[in-house]
């Protein structure tokens, strides 16, 4: 054992490695991406790791490995589970041989996601066990236990951290490599009565699953991470708090220690540890449930009170005692607890709650700047959007966006994203609009990683069903928003192999597109001409704007405004909204620390005032800005 | 000795590395440490923060409002934004150099970093405002912003770490070719505060 300062996701990864995981697959998505990346960095030679093309493939690959008796882990963010839900629901009936953990990171807030969906519902829906860690240290240990439970019950299990657990760092105790479990898969045993899903088998297995979950709930009541912290000083004898996930740590911070009232920590929201929860409820008049996303613990406790005719009142999101959307914070939880205890007959609050620090400053600060996220300076997506905008000026258009950095094309002044729904949806939406409004020029924008992940069926659909639309592929040769993961178009795998690149143009031609143009968006004039010419053609046509992400290439230099030449018309600022273009003392200036020398602004300057700055030695860009992300892309 | 530290700035300024250096320095001294930071879309030029907590008996990496011992602002407006986290009598370190949001540039909405710094000077008794633009110019690299601010935080005494602690973290976490530059930034800031 030794101590390391690890991010929650790194802790989960190291826990999986310590459990002898044999295969890890996944699709990038904030806040889950670092798990697979960390395994890939620290894996023993025999462990296989891949970024799959999407979550459905990833889950199927992990299932195949688990069929052989291997320990497998599949990682994704919550909306990714929607993509993987088809194999998941069936796999729940079939089960596994080796331990299989389905890691799905939820994102209360949401901070970097399209939805605030709660994977604990998916656990109940698919009837699979679910582990819900509260901290990096617990996540490290819990994922090892999750593999054991998975094998004991021959079922895949969910592991569901949330953003603050995934991205929180802590100095935690981890095993030395000599303490790691080695897991040797026995191999796949042919048995069509077990591995081939048929209605008859599903019926039989359904009965077994229901019986198993009763046993699992019993087992989970004895699982040490589900725990009752009994009141010791009994100030609030008839009250209790039930919590799970990161919210549990906020509760503990508020109470500073256990003692004044009874606490239930729920580590396995499904199957719910009913026996333990009943013990917790016994003798309590009121219980406050503090959890994020949906009121899962609250509903379970409310159900138990009905089932066992208990007089306990259960409070939470359903009763509007806790906000029902957005993430909890240290401060919101403190307030919820204060409100819950306020009218107590004893009228005593925990010491920490009453000695809470006040405001250190007056409440009237100057108006703060608004800082929505923007496309980076030099981002080729800006040039692509600008070229399409210029080419289609005055035409009736719809620009259907997608998930990735390029969703930021919605911001002013580009204003080039009219719709955005989920991965790959832009294609279908463009087709649907086109069938109803034939006079609208319909565009779908999709990134290179998203193209492979989920856009190809949309292209096939468009071609087959005779749609009239222009597909714009924003190919920056990486999965930028989530931290630059490789994908099938990059020619690199997560195992470090150099493989043949899957050529997007060839894929499109293979599907049957007659017009597929590839062009550098940073050559503005040529890009505009290309869009004008291509969009005018009938049927489905595609333009691939190819220019690498600025975070994965060396900047070519920096631009400079010749102050004598600049007529201060501000067209560059007004049209592009590039963060490197600023106004200093009333004149246009270019921030050399941000500018990559893409030269787009110089191409639209009517006074020819912007040139490459030959004096500035360029500084390589901070890679921090390029880490992280939204989407699944 | 428990410490709550807030680092804040604009995506891309180097707050994440600064928080890792503080954590590494604390680890070296066997102080338990937790941290949390913005990862995701906001990193594209949005407001970002890191919370760092050191000491015993911690459960959550997140800091409650009114409990930060020190705020290290990489940008004056962002420092003001995070002020609700400062405890009474807490220390603020701030870079005087403002970063203009694209929205302000576009709309012509005035945003003045000097106004933010002036507000801090008026209301925060324990304030160190660093002229980082000049410092970076004199040191010859814009990349030392985070080390300048960490240096100032150390000399304020509110961080509970020494310059040698930070140097050791730099040696451990950064490639050798950057050591000399960062040490120069540290001695520069020592001579200034």
């Amino acid at each position: 054992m030794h101590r390391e300062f690890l991010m929650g996701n790194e802790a989960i990864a190291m826990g999986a490695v310590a459990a002898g995981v044999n295969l890890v697959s996944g699709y990038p998505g904030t806040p889950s991406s670092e798990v697979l990346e960390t395994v890939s960095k620290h894996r023993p030679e025999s462990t296989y790791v891949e970024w799959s093309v999407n979550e459905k493939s990833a889950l199927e690959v992990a299932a195949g490995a688990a069929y052989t008796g291997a320990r497998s882990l599949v990682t994704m963010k919550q909306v990714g589970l929607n993509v993987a839900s088809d194999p998941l629901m069936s796999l729940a009936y079939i089960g596994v041989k080796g331990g299989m953990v389905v890691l799905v990171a939820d994102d209360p807030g949401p901070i970097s996601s399209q939805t605030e969906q709660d994977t604990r519902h998916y656990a109940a829906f698919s009837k699979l066990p679910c582990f819900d860690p509260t901290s990096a240290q617990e996540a490290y240990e819990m994922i090892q236990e999750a593999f054991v439970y998975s094998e004991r019950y021959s079922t895949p299990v969910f592991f569901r951290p949330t953003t603050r657990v995934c991205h929180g760092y802590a100095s935690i105790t981890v095993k030395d490599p000599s303490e790691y479990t080695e897991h040797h898969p026995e191999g796949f045993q042919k048995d069509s009565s077990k591995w081939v899903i048929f209605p008859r088998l599903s019926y039989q297995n359904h009965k077994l699953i229901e019986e198993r979950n009763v046993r699992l709930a019993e087992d989970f009541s004895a699982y040490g991470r589900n725990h009752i912290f009994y009141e010791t000083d009994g100030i609030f004898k008839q009250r209790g708090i039930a919590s799970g996930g990161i919210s549990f740590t906020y509760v503990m911070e508020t109470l500073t220690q256990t003692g004044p009232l009874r606490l239930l920590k729920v580590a396995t929201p499904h199957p719910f540890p009913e026996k333990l929860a009943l013990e917790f409820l016994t003798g309590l008049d009121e219980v406050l449930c503090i959890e994020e996303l949906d009121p899962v613990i609250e509903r379970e406790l409310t159900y138990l009170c009905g089932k066992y005719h208990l007089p306990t009142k259960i409070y939470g999101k359903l009763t509007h005692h806790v906000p029902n959307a957005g993430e909890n914070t240290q401060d919101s939880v403190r307030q919820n607890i204060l409100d819950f205890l306020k009218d107590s007959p004893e009228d005593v609050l925990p010491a920490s709650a009453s000695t809470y620090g006040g405001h250190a400053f007056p409440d009237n600060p100057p108006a703060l700047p608004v800082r929505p996220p923007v496309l980076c300076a030099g981002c080729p997506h800006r040039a692509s959007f600008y070229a399409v905008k210029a080419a289609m000026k005055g035409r009736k258009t719809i620009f259907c966006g997608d998930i990735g950095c390029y969703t930021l094309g919605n911001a002013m002044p580009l204003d080039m994203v009219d719709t955005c729904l989920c991965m790959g949806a832009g294609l279908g939406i463009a087709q649907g609009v086109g069938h109803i409004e034939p006079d609208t020029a319909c565009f779908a924008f999709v990134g290179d990683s998203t193209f492979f992940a989920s856009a190809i069926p949309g292209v096939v659909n468009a071609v087959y069903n005779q749609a009239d639309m222009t597909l714009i592929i924003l190919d920056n040769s990486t999965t930028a928003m989530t931290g630059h993961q490789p994908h099938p178009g990059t020619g690199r795998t997560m195992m470090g192999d150099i493989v043949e690149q899957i050529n997007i143009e060839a894929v499109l031609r293979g599907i049957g597109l007659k017009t597929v143009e590839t062009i550098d968006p940073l050559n503005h004039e040529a890009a505009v001409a290309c869009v004008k010419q291509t969009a005018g053609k009938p049927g489905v046509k595609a333009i691939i704007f190819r220019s690498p992400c600025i975070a994965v290439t060396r900047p070519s230099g920096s631009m400079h405004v010749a102050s004598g030449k600049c007529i201060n018309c501000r067209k560059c600022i007004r049209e592009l909204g590039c963060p490197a273009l600023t106004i200093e003392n009333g004149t246009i200036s270019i921030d050399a620390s941000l500018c990559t020398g893409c030269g787009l602004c110089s191409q639209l300057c009517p006074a020819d005032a912007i040139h490459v700055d030959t004096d500035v030695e360029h500084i390589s860009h901070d890679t921090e800005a390029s880490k992280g992300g939204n989407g699944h892309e | 000795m428990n410490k709550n530290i807030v680092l804040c700035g604009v995506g891309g300024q180097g707050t994440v590395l600064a928080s890792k250096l503080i954590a590494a320095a604390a680890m070296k001294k066997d102080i338990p440490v937790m941290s949390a930071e913005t990862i995701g879309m906001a990193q594209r030029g949005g407001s970002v923060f890191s919370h760092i907590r050191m000491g015993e008996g911690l459960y959550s990496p997140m800091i409650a409002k009114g409990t930060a011992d020190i705020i290290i602002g990489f940008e004056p407006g962002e420092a003001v934004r995070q002020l609700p986290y400062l405890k009474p009598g807490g220390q603020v370190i701030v870079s005087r150099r403002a970063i203009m949001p694209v929205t302000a540039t576009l709309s012509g909405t005035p945003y003045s970093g000097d106004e933010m710094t002036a507000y801090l000077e008026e209301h925060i008794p324990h304030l160190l405002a660093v002229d980082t633009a000049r410092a970076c110019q004199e040191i010859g690299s814009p990349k030392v912003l985070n080390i300048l601010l960490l240096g100032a935080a150390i000399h304020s005494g509110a961080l509970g770490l020494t310059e040698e602690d930070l140097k050791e973290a730099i040696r451990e976490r950064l490639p050798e070719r950057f050591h000399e530059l960062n040490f120069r930034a540290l001695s520069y800031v020592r001579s200034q505060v």
Side-chain angles (χ1 to χ4, degrees):
Chain A
M1 292 286 192
H2 64 282
R3 282 182 87 71
E4 268 187 63
F5 185 64
L6 294 178
M7 183 196 267
N9 278 344
E10 293 171 339
I12 292 166
M14 295 315 290
V17 170
V21 70
N22 304 106
L23 178 143
V24 185
S25 54
Y27 187 74
T30 310
S32 70
S33 313
E34 297 84 0
V35 175
L36 191 142
E37 287 170 339
T38 305
V39 174
S40 144
K41 261 181 242 162
H42 297 280
R43 68 186 169 85
E45 212 165 307
S46 60
T47 304
Y48 174 84
V49 181
E50 72 167 42
W51 279 127
S52 308
V53 71
N54 61 27
E55 293 86 352
K56 175 172 149 66
S57 293
L59 193 133
E60 290 155 354
V61 168
Y67 282 6
T68 72
R71 285 191 164 183
S72 69
L73 169 68
V74 56
T75 74
M76 64 194 74
K77 69 181 295 177
Q78 89 286 49
V79 288
L81 183 58
N82 302 336
V83 177
S85 61
D86 193 5
L88 173 86
M89 296 304 291
S90 296
L91 184 65
Y93 281 80
I94 292 293
V96 291
K97 187 155 93 176
M100 174 171 169
V101 177
V102 181
L103 180 142
V104 184
D106 279 353
D107 185 24
I111 298 170
S112 302
S113 302
Q114 301 93 302
T115 70
E116 276 203 294
Q117 67 188 67
D118 192 324
T119 297
R120 295 176 298 171
H121 286 312
Y122 254 114
F125 182 39
S126 60
K127 306 180 194 295
L128 293 177
C130 180
F131 293 82
D132 191 3
T134 60
S135 67
Q137 179 77 56
E138 185 173 61
Y140 175 76
E141 292 155 16
M142 195 186 251
I143 193 153
Q144 299 176 55
E145 294 152 7
F147 277 108
V148 174
Y149 273 95
S150 172
E151 274 159 16
R152 189 182 300 163
Y153 288 91
S154 304
T155 178
V157 301
F158 275 113
F159 191 82
R160 183 208 76 133
T162 56
T163 308
R164 299 296 179 197
V165 173
C166 291
H167 286 165
Y169 282 82
S171 40
I172 69 168
T173 306
V174 295
K175 289 178 178 167
D176 299 323
S178 60
E179 299 167 273
Y180 290 174
T181 301
E182 270 189 48
H183 187 80
H184 300 287
E186 177 189 85
F188 181 73
Q189 308 290 322
K190 288 194 185 204
D191 181 356
S192 63
S193 69
K194 179 168 172 51
W195 301 116
V196 180
I197 197 162
F198 268 111
R200 175 88 194 140
L201 179 67
S202 298
Y203 166 72
Q204 284 164 351
N205 285 357
H206 186 181
K207 285 197 294 182
L208 295 175
I209 288 165
E210 299 296 347
E211 288 162 21
R212 176 202 73 198
N213 279 356
V214 173
R215 279 183 286 125
L216 244 174
E218 285 269 320
D219 202 345
F220 277 163
S221 281
Y223 176 46
R225 300 193 186 278
N226 288 316
H227 192 70
I228 301 171
F229 298 86
Y230 279 100
E231 61 279 18
T232 49
D233 57 16
I235 302 173
F236 302 103
K237 233 179 186 146
Q238 275 77 46
R239 297 181 191 214
I241 293 176
S243 189
I246 190 78
S247 296
F248 174 77
T249 69
Y250 301 156
V251 172
M252 293 299 279
E253 290 275 348
T254 303
L255 302 173
T256 47
Q257 56 193 3
T258 56
L261 75 176
R262 202 180 298 175
L263 286 179
L264 175 65
K265 172 174 173 279
V266 179
T268 57
H270 189 265
F272 200 70
E274 186 169 310
K275 197 172 147 202
L276 188 79
L278 270 177
E279 277 174 45
F280 165 74
L281 290 170
T282 303
L284 294 181
D285 293 339
E286 295 175 300
V287 169
L288 179 68
C289 300
I290 296 185
E291 58 193 314
E292 286 180 316
L293 302 173
D294 288 333
V296 170
I297 297 172
E298 186 184 353
R299 277 185 197 280
E300 290 283 2
L301 293 182
T302 306
Y303 161 77
L304 284 182
C305 288
K307 183 175 173 186
Y308 294 97
H309 305 290
L310 301 178
T312 319
K313 292 195 183 78
I314 308 295
Y315 303 134
K317 290 165 185 272
L318 297 169
T319 57
H320 306 292
H321 288 81
V322 175
N324 51 21
E327 73 166 330
N328 291 339
T329 64
Q330 198 73 69
D331 299 290
S332 73
V333 166
R334 180 184 291 272
Q335 194 56 52
N336 295 151
I337 294 176
L338 288 177
D339 292 345
F340 176 57
L341 301 180
K342 180 171 62 184
D343 58 348
S344 75
E346 297 88 351
D347 197 29
V348 189
L349 298 175
S352 69
S354 53
T355 57
Y356 175 43
H359 286 276
F361 69 105
D363 286 329
N364 55 343
L368 290 166
V370 185
R371 289 192 200 276
V374 289
L375 292 171
C376 301
C379 175
H381 297 335
R382 177 179 292 103
S384 302
F385 282 124
Y386 187 60
V388 177
K389 188 176 185 175
M392 300 308 291
K393 203 171 177 182
R395 293 278 311 278
K396 190 180 175 194
T397 51
I398 183 165
F399 303 119
C400 301
D402 222 294
I403 307 292
C405 283
Y406 50 99
T407 315
L408 296 174
N410 76 319
M412 297 304 280
L414 289 172
D415 189 21
M416 280 295 286
V417 178
D418 295 324
T419 70
C420 180
L421 189 65
C422 70
M423 292 276 290
L427 265 146
I429 291 170
Q431 293 164 48
V433 169
H435 291 309
I436 303 298
E437 294 183 13
D439 59 332
T440 300
C442 299
F443 286 78
F445 291 80
V446 66
D448 43 348
S449 182
T450 307
F451 174 78
F452 290 111
S454 56
I456 294 172
V459 183
V460 175
N461 191 66
V463 171
Y464 168 56
N465 288 303
Q466 304 288 296
D468 188 354
M469 64 168 292
T470 308
L471 170 62
I472 304 282
I473 295 183
L474 302 168
D475 182 0
N476 62 359
S477 307
T478 188
T479 317
M481 184 55 103
T482 48
H484 302 101
Q485 292 80 10
H487 62 65
T490 62
R492 284 176 296 119
T493 72
M494 216 43 190
M495 296 292 280
D497 296 327
I498 302 299
V499 295
E500 185 139 356
Q501 297 179 3
I502 298 181
N503 183 305
I504 296 176
E505 183 175 346
V507 171
L508 292 172
R509 291 209 183 274
I511 292 171
L513 270 71
K514 300 286 180 287
T515 306
V516 182
E517 303 291 343
T518 300
I519 192 152
D520 179 359
L522 294 172
N523 184 346
H524 181 63
E525 207 174 309
V528 172
C530 176
V531 175
K532 278 186 177 162
Q533 199 187 19
T534 308
K537 294 184 178 174
V540 184
K541 52 272 172 189
I543 299 170
I544 302 168
F545 281 120
R546 184 165 290 147
S547 183
C549 174
I550 57 127
V552 295
T553 44
R554 204 166 259 287
S556 59
S558 172
M559 306 306 286
H560 174 74
V561 181
S563 50
K565 278 182 149 185
C566 176
I567 55 171
N568 210 13
C569 69
R570 305 196 177 179
K571 185 182 179 191
C572 51
I573 285 182
R574 225 175 38 241
E575 302 266 301
L576 298 178
C578 172
L581 287 162
T582 58
I583 300 169
E584 257 178 46
N585 305 320
T587 59
I588 310 288
S589 158
I590 290 176
D591 185 338
S593 70
L594 291 176
C595 180
T596 66
C598 81
L600 182 63
C601 54
S602 72
Q603 295 173 60
L604 62 105
C605 176
D608 190 26
I610 307 177
H611 296 281
V612 176
D613 190 347
T614 44
D615 300 340
V616 177
E617 182 212 347
H618 209 91
I619 311 113
S620 75
H621 275 256
D622 202 319
T623 50
E624 178 192 321
S626 62
K627 275 290 276 182
N630 179 50
H632 338 210
E633 186 170 351
Chain B
M1 172 207 59
N2 283 25
K3 287 278 178 198
N4 287 340
I5 304 154
V6 173
L7 291 125
C8 57
V10 177
Q13 278 194 301
T15 52
V16 173
L17 177 60
S19 93
K20 292 233 172 91
L21 288 173
I22 294 175
M27 284 286 285
K28 277 262 176 218
K29 304 180 82 165
D30 282 328
I31 305 171
V33 53
M34 293 183 128
S35 74
E37 58 212 19
T38 318
I39 294 177
M41 202 179 232
Q43 286 180 288
R44 306 283 184 274
S47 301
V48 295
F49 68 83
S50 295
H51 286 184
I52 307 166
R53 309 188 67 199
M54 303 194 273
E56 303 288 343
L58 305 175
Y59 293 96
S60 156
M62 308 298 289
I63 296 175
K65 284 183 180 157
T67 67
D69 297 280
I70 177 168
I71 292 178
I72 305 176
F74 284 51
E75 204 276 348
E78 296 310 312
V80 174
R81 199 191 302 279
Q82 297 296 328
L83 277 186
Y85 283 93
L86 193 65
K87 73 176 187 189
Q91 173 78 45
V92 175
I93 309 292
V94 70
S95 162
R96 286 182 183 274
R97 182 171 176 262
I99 295 191
M100 202 59 64
V102 174
T103 45
T105 308
L106 272 172
S107 62
T109 318
Y111 163 60
S112 156
D114 291 344
E115 189 193 352
M116 296 294 164
T117 314
Y119 175 83
L120 291 169
E121 279 167 342
E122 190 184 334
H123 295 291
I124 306 297
H126 304 286
L127 177 76
L128 260 179
V130 186
D131 187 349
T132 49
R134 204 178 112 202
C136 287
Q137 202 171 24
E138 287 180 12
I139 296 163
S141 165
K143 302 291 284 180
V144 293
L145 173 68
N146 46 19
I147 301 297
L148 287 169
L149 294 171
L150 286 185
I154 280 169
H155 295 299
S156 77
L159 205 54
L161 296 170
T162 66
E163 191 174 310
E164 196 40 50
D165 294 337
L166 182 60
K167 279 186 166 173
E168 252 194 70
I170 289 170
R171 282 188 207 105
E172 188 184 282
R173 304 280 314 196
L174 299 184
E176 202 181 335
R177 63 183 191 280
F178 296 127
H179 292 181
E180 201 273 328
L181 175 67
N182 286 310
F183 294 162
R184 221 165 357 116
L186 280 178
S187 51
Y188 178 93
V189 76
R190 191 190 325 118
S191 69
Q192 298 288 309
V193 298

